[in-house]
Amino acid sequence: MKWGWVESNPALLASPLKVAAARVVAPTVEQLIKILEEAKAVHPQWGAFFMLAALTGMRRGEHRIELL
């Protein structure tokens, strides 16, 4: 379109794909405690990361972690 090579924009005829909403189930308090303990046992920074995520309600894609 920009360079005049086509008369119409074929993307205007496309329909977006249907995406099913994922159902997210939060862990119980007991499950969360176990997750935090296991993460801390692997590496102290993992424990801190998961604690931060649990306390702030961090969503997928809102985190970045670098272990030393």
Side-chain angles (χ1 to χ4, degrees):
M1 293 287 304
K2 182 177 179 180
W3 297 327
W5 294 353
V6 293
E7 296 293 322
S8 63
N9 185 351
L12 294 176
L13 302 174
S15 299
L17 296 174
K18 303 250 188 260
V19 179
R23 184 169 183 255
V24 178
V25 179
T28 65
V29 173
E30 293 79 20
Q31 291 172 327
L32 180 58
I33 291 170
K34 178 123 173 104
I35 291 168
L36 294 174
E37 288 172 352
E38 293 292 328
K40 188 176 180 183
V42 172
H43 195 286
Q45 286 184 349
W46 277 109
F49 169 73
F50 280 101
M51 178 68 79
L52 176 67
L55 293 176
T56 62
M58 200 182 296
R59 297 176 294 199
R60 274 183 246 152
E62 291 184 339
H63 60 278
R64 182 169 181 254
I65 186 169
E66 294 179 18
L67 294 178
L68 301 176

